[in-house]
Amino acid sequence: MAIKTIIEPFKIKSVEPIRWTTRADREKLLRQAHYNLFQVPARDILIDLLTDSGTGAMSTAQWAAMMEGDESYAGSSSFDRFRRGVQDIFGYRHVIPTHQGRAAERILFGVMCKKGDVVPNNSHFDTTRANIEFVGAEAVDLLIPEGYEPANRHPFKGNMDVAALEQLIARVGRERIPLVAKAVRDVCRRHEIPLYFDACRFAENAYFIKLREKGYESETPKEIAKEIFALGDGCTMSAKKDGLANIGGFLCTNDDQLAQQEKDLLILTEGYPTYGGLAGRDLEAIAVGLREALEEDYLRYRITSTAYLGNHIAAQRVPIVQPPGGHAIYVDARAFLPHIAPQQFPGVALAAELYLEGGIRSVEIGTLMFGDAAHMDLVRLAIPRRVYTQSHIDYVIEVVLEVWRQRERIHGLRLTHEAPFLRHFTARLEPL
Ligand SMILES: Cc1ncc(COP(=O)(O)O)c(C=O)c1O
């Protein structure tokens, strides 16, 4: 086709106003929030790129399906539709609904892990790591070295280092590894270790395989997703991402005995296994959302529009993690602000400046979040699904470039208050 412009593959039926503030307002709001954007009220944010989790817009088909919600406590027909929708893509024997991803993690690791165990992963998300550590096990990141180099354009920087996995198994012993999360099936099969996926962005990742891995060009995203999940023994899922829902998640397994234990624990903390902490209408929205997330028109727009943001700022030499991701663009704050030492939180300083300049909320993923264990200082611009249009993104590009021009004027910060764990949510800071 001669036309190159990729448009949003939807039209807008219901709108939600966003509100401008003045720079003076934002200076005051930021001071009141102790320079922590989690503490700024959402009504004072113009463009909210804090997270892509639970912030997407639902389709007319999802809203219509919600009216079919069967709110029966046990045996809800919404659960049947939910299970069919999940199994059609994921293929696992048991589907256990949960209120969100971390509840699935809590149950999975609660049942499979014990004190002294070791769980290898490519890289653990913070709630995944916290749930593994909560049962006294150790979460080990085995990311390929390219994954730690922001400018490196390796097409799959989330890959697990297979040789490092073999070395870990040899070092700690098979008995201490109850499961591996993600990738590397051959090694797992050889050692008889179950393989579980964190499936939360499965559709975007399937599309990247279609775009970047030879041999998959003519497969559909659904065919690729099915092939991935067929390699594993189960998964955890936050339906707040590629489930295109505002709340929800699930846990899948092929193991009958584990499923029984998981359902017993589910009843204790989430609810009966045909609703698992969700309303029938939420199950309906997820069943439809999973299908919509795999539509090629949607994925082409999703991946292209995120790359549009990344490529436009990178073209002006703004340092970003390359290549652009699916759900977010990560700005390399250490390279953006080389005059600010990691201990003075360059990511927090940059996020604060994006808010001051244009009312944009982003999130630091670096020294404030991980302390001395941080490998990088990044600012994540996460794009909610189907929420913002190209003109919103053009505005974000302008703001980022304006801050880039003024970068030498930006100062670091120091902590004035920190909680004993997950300190980034409530930390207080002040400019140096
Ligand atoms: C990779 C990954 N895993 C797990 C989770 C946890 O999901 P939830 O926030 O639904 O508990 C998230 C959420 O952001 C995530 O990004």
Side-chain angles (χ1 to χ4, degrees), residues 36 39 368-369 415-428:
N36 182 340
Q39 307 293 325
L368 182 62
M369 190 177 274
L415 267 173
T416 58
H417 164 84
E418 62 178 312
F421 48 85
L422 294 174
R423 66 177 181 175
H424 50 290
F425 291 117
T426 53
R428 292 184 199 155

Side-chain angles (χ1 to χ4, degrees), residues 91-385:
Y92 299 119
R93 192 147 61 234
H94 301 280
V95 179
I96 300 169
T98 59
H99 81 277
Q100 59 183 83
R102 69 197 67 184
E105 291 169 348
R106 165 92 183 93
I107 291 170
L108 178 71
F109 299 122
V111 167
M112 290 192 82
C113 301
K114 59 181 187 318
K115 195 167 169 10
D117 284 348
V118 175
V119 181
N121 201 330
N122 53 356
S123 173
H124 289 84
F125 182 69
D126 59 0
T127 60
T128 320
R129 171 176 293 278
N131 276 300
I132 291 168
E133 291 174 353
F134 187 72
V135 296
E138 186 189 350
V140 177
D141 289 347
L142 299 176
L143 194 61
I144 54 168
E146 292 89 335
Y148 294 114
E149 299 163 11
N152 192 309
R153 286 178 183 265
H154 188 289
F156 295 106
K157 291 169 88 172
N159 279 354
M160 191 187 277
D161 184 334
V162 186
L165 176 63
E166 289 275 19
Q167 284 158 15
L168 180 80
I169 297 168
R171 182 164 61 79
V172 307
R174 157 68 187 95
E175 325 65 56
R176 283 180 60 202
I177 304 183
L179 78 162
V180 174
K182 295 181 188 141
V184 200
R185 182 192 100 130
D186 289 348
V187 180
C188 296
R189 284 288 141 89
R190 201 156 9 91
H191 295 277
E192 297 181 356
I193 301 172
L195 172 63
Y196 279 73
F197 296 102
D198 178 334
C200 73
R201 296 189 182 85
F202 76 97
E204 291 168 4
N205 288 336
Y207 197 68
F208 277 128
I209 289 172
K210 181 179 172 75
L211 293 182
R212 296 179 186 172
E213 191 158 335
K214 227 167 137 1
Y216 286 90
E217 305 82 0
S218 52
E219 303 263 315
T220 66
K222 184 173 174 183
E223 285 165 344
I224 296 170
K226 287 175 92 136
E227 187 179 327
I228 296 171
F229 295 120
L231 299 174
D233 299 283
C235 69
T236 56
M237 171 75 182
S238 169
K240 299 173 72 172
K241 285 88 173 175
D242 279 348
L244 290 172
N246 301 117
I247 195 71
F250 52 85
L251 170 57
C252 291
T253 180
N254 281 333
D255 184 320
D256 296 340
Q257 205 189 335
L258 265 183
Q260 194 51 55
Q261 291 172 282
E262 287 166 356
K263 287 178 196 172
D264 290 345
L265 199 52
L266 187 85
I267 291 174
L268 189 67
T269 56
E270 295 284 294
Y272 192 72
T274 60
Y275 75 88
L278 294 170
R281 56 180 171 269
D282 299 325
L283 298 169
E284 300 279 358
I286 296 166
V288 176
L290 291 171
R291 222 164 42 228
E292 291 181 350
L294 284 169
E295 283 169 10
E296 285 212 44
D297 283 349
Y298 161 74
L299 283 169
R300 187 179 310 111
Y301 139 78
R302 171 78 178 153
I303 300 304
T304 313
S305 59
T306 304
Y308 175 88
L309 167 58
N311 292 338
H312 273 77
I313 59 176
Q316 302 301 320
R317 304 213 321 279
V318 174
I320 65 166
V321 173
Q322 291 284 6
H327 72 291
I329 293 300
Y330 292 77
V331 180
D332 180 355
R334 282 189 198 172
F336 196 112
L337 300 170
H339 56 286
I340 302 181
Q343 297 72 28
Q344 297 174 0
F345 308 110
V348 181
L350 177 54
E353 209 56 36
L354 292 172
Y355 178 67
L356 284 178
E357 186 63 36
I360 296 168
R361 175 154 66 178
S362 53
V363 67
E364 185 250 20
I365 299 189
T367 305
L368 182 62
M369 190 177 274
F370 299 121
D372 293 337
H375 292 278
M376 299 179 266
D377 277 283
L378 305 175
V379 170
R380 183 179 74 170
L381 303 166
I383 319 290
R385 293 171 181 76

